[in-house]
Amino acid sequence: MSSTLAGWLQALALVGALALCYRPLGDYIAGLLTTAKHLRVERGLYKLVGVDGDADQRWTTYLRSVLAFSAVSVLFLYAFQRLQSHLLLSLGFKAVNPHSAWNTAISFVTNTNWQDYSGESTMGHLVQMAGLAVQNFVSAAVGIAVVATLIRGFTRSKTDRVGNFWVDLTRICLRLLLPLSIVFALVLVANGVIQNFHGFHDLATLGGDTQSIPGGPVASQEVIKELGTNGGGFFGANSAHPFENPNGFTNWLEIFLLLVISFSLPRTFGKMVGDNRQGYAIVSVMALFWTASAVLMTFFETHPTGQALKAAGMAMEGKEQRFGPWASALFASSTTLTSTGAVDAAHDSLTPGGGGVAIFDMMLGEIAPGGTGSGLYGMLILAIVAVFVAGLMVGRTPEYLGKKLGGREMKFASLYILTTPAIVLIGTGVAIALGGERANMGNGGAHGFSEVLYAFTSAGNNNGSAFGGLTVVSPWWDTALGLAMVLGRFLPIVFVLALAGSLARQQPVPASAGTLPTHKPLFVGLLSGVVLIVVGLTYFPALALGPIAEGLH
């Protein structure tokens, strides 16, 4: 079978699998977010921590719960790393240095999973399992919980209550993420991903040398890293490592896992607002951008510029022979369009066009389909902007799902949209202006600029992938990127929750002849245009200095 045919078949199989899961998984998530029934284990947890599971919170209280939980998580994970040498299963590793521990704690709590270290030579098994993997669960659950409040803002009226964070967090972890992780971890183990508590084994190579082979509980972390759109690898090579991703099937499965929840959440949205057509409109825009990204990425990686690459017929530098350019391109576009950040190829070795697509995917706000929860609330914010633009064109007060979009709502939406570009562009500008930090670039010129732009785009959008040519282990880079991750995660959450509270207080208005139908192809086209114009063009000057300039050269 040719690589082209194999590439088309795996892409079609992926689309088919996601389509089959869209309705049942989306309906299931809607059910667990709306039911009034609590499981016995959930009631026990609420009693243990002193939470009333039947009491809803105001948006301000919900926000305080999110921030308090995240702050405690950062402190716990930081302490875990600093005390590593005194813990069980440390494998003899010393404590993680302070600035790297800070960066890693922030990274995993914000669902970014940016790593300035190589896992197999830095983290012991207990830190990996009880520290990093736990945050993979709860950070993903926080994203879904936040988008649930925004949806409730549309469905509720004349109230200041948007849900209970502790109930949402518990249900998402216990009823969604944990069961799916158990099932697919077993599938990964059955297909060669390792799962053990071994340390390092010294083995004799065919050349007569000795090589230390690491072990560890990899499958259990690999599955939630993809399912929760986290992305942090057990090993430094991430999903390019054969212990994390042994073959073509596991590679396909990992792409499926990092997309399935985010692509199913629009169905949850449609189900909760009582109009499944709204979900179809949102998922259509997501699918449109995902398809365009995958096609462009594949084209650039299989039609590279340069005489040597043209002669070879493809760009294989930095790619695994097990996967090749088709599977690597599909993985790269999917991981940068979500907030996953996992990689099965070296993104620093992508062609200028391929690297530019990866950066642009993140600059879109990772909304196609985006991270678990964060992708949907990002797309809904843009849908609100699209409705507002349409209202301006016809001269009437815009309405979306029965809620008027006035000055207060649009201020929250505008602040959301402006936050991440400000973080990315200011951070990149400062880093480029500092000569000492410029020295950490592995390359000069346009590609070196792309390395820095990619780093702040990845951190600000909570992605976590990187152009590996940039050395980011210094205190300055750990601190700067850590701040970008914190601001890029929690400032948008503040605006989303404030918007949810504002919408929930409104009295719904009935649809009229002048109401924009937001479930038809016209709105899908309008929303797609808003995504490109409002979000994409913000970064065009920066892209022109980086991947575009490199490609033209």
Side-chain angles (χ1 to χ4, degrees), residues 198-419:
H198 298 166
F200 286 85
H201 286 260
D202 292 333
L203 301 176
T205 67
L206 294 177
D209 296 324
T210 300
Q211 182 175 357
S212 293
I213 305 296
V218 176
S220 56
Q221 184 161 322
E222 188 73 13
V223 65
I224 188 58
K225 131 186 169 181
E226 311 293 7
L227 191 64
T229 61
N230 297 282
F234 195 95
F235 301 106
N238 206 278
S239 290
H241 197 291
F243 289 175
E244 289 193 35
N245 192 2
N247 53 56
F249 171 73
T250 57
N251 190 71
W252 179 90
L253 180 62
E254 290 184 17
I255 300 173
F256 167 78
L257 289 174
L258 64 88
L259 293 171
V260 65
I261 291 180
S262 295
F263 261 129
S264 298
L265 281 174
R267 172 71 181 191
T268 301
F269 166 65
K271 192 76 172 178
M272 290 177 68
V273 300
D275 187 353
N276 290 326
R277 298 174 301 176
Q278 303 294 335
Y280 288 125
I282 295 297
V283 80
S284 296
V285 178
M286 290 178 171
L288 180 65
F289 280 101
W290 178 78
T291 302
S293 171
V295 169
L296 286 173
M297 180 77 75
T298 303
F299 175 81
F300 286 127
E301 295 307 305
T302 54
H303 297 78
T305 57
Q307 295 301 318
L309 296 181
K310 286 182 178 179
M314 60 185 67
M316 279 299 296
E317 180 185 340
K319 296 182 176 64
E320 280 293 308
Q321 294 285 344
R322 304 192 308 279
F323 310 134
W326 278 79
S328 299
L330 186 60
F331 200 116
S333 61
S334 298
T335 197
T336 51
L337 278 171
T338 60
S339 65
T340 311
V343 295
D344 72 347
H347 285 196
D348 199 32
S349 296
L350 294 174
T351 62
V357 171
I359 298 175
F360 188 71
D361 286 347
M362 295 184 291
M363 289 175 170
L364 285 177
E366 297 170 330
I367 52 173
T372 50
S374 61
L376 179 57
Y377 65 64
M379 184 63 82
L380 291 178
I381 293 290
L382 289 167
I384 288 172
V385 173
V387 172
F388 182 76
V389 170
L392 291 178
M393 290 191 290
V394 299
R396 60 171 286 136
T397 302
E399 305 162 9
Y400 187 39
L401 301 177
K403 298 298 179 76
K404 288 186 177 294
L405 304 177
R408 180 182 176 84
E409 289 77 23
M410 293 313 302
K411 287 175 184 175
F412 291 137
S414 299
L415 288 170
Y416 178 97
I417 291 173
L418 293 172
T419 296

Side-chain angles (χ1 to χ4, degrees), residues 348 438-452 467-470:
D348 199 32
R438 266 201 323 272
N440 290 340
M441 299 186 325
N443 297 275
H447 191 76
F449 178 83
S450 296
E451 290 175 348
V452 177
F467 272 8
L470 181 67

Side-chain angles (χ1 to χ4, degrees), residues 189-205:
V189 170
N191 285 275
V193 179
I194 66 171
Q195 180 74 15
N196 55 56
F197 291 101
H198 298 166
F200 286 85
H201 286 260
D202 292 333
L203 301 176
T205 67

Side-chain angles (χ1 to χ4, degrees), residues 7 52 66 116 125-126 152 159 182 199 238 246 251 254 278 298 306 340 353 355 386 426 499 528 551:
D52 183 358
V66 171
D116 68 349
H125 292 342
L126 189 62
R152 292 182 188 121
T159 182
I182 292 173
N238 206 278
N251 190 71
E254 290 184 17
Q278 303 294 335
T298 303
T340 311
I426 292 173
L499 178 60
S528 300

Side-chain angles (χ1 to χ4, degrees), residues 18-28 264 267 271 276 280:
L18 292 171
L20 287 174
C21 293
Y22 174 77
R23 182 169 181 172
L25 184 56
D27 289 351
Y28 176 74
S264 298
R267 172 71 181 191
K271 192 76 172 178
N276 290 326
Y280 288 125

Side-chain angles (χ1 to χ4, degrees), residues 520-540:
K520 294 186 176 181
L522 177 63
F523 182 73
V524 172
L526 175 64
L527 179 53
S528 300
V530 166
V531 171
L532 286 175
I533 295 172
V534 175
V535 181
L537 293 184
T538 304
Y539 294 100
F540 182 78

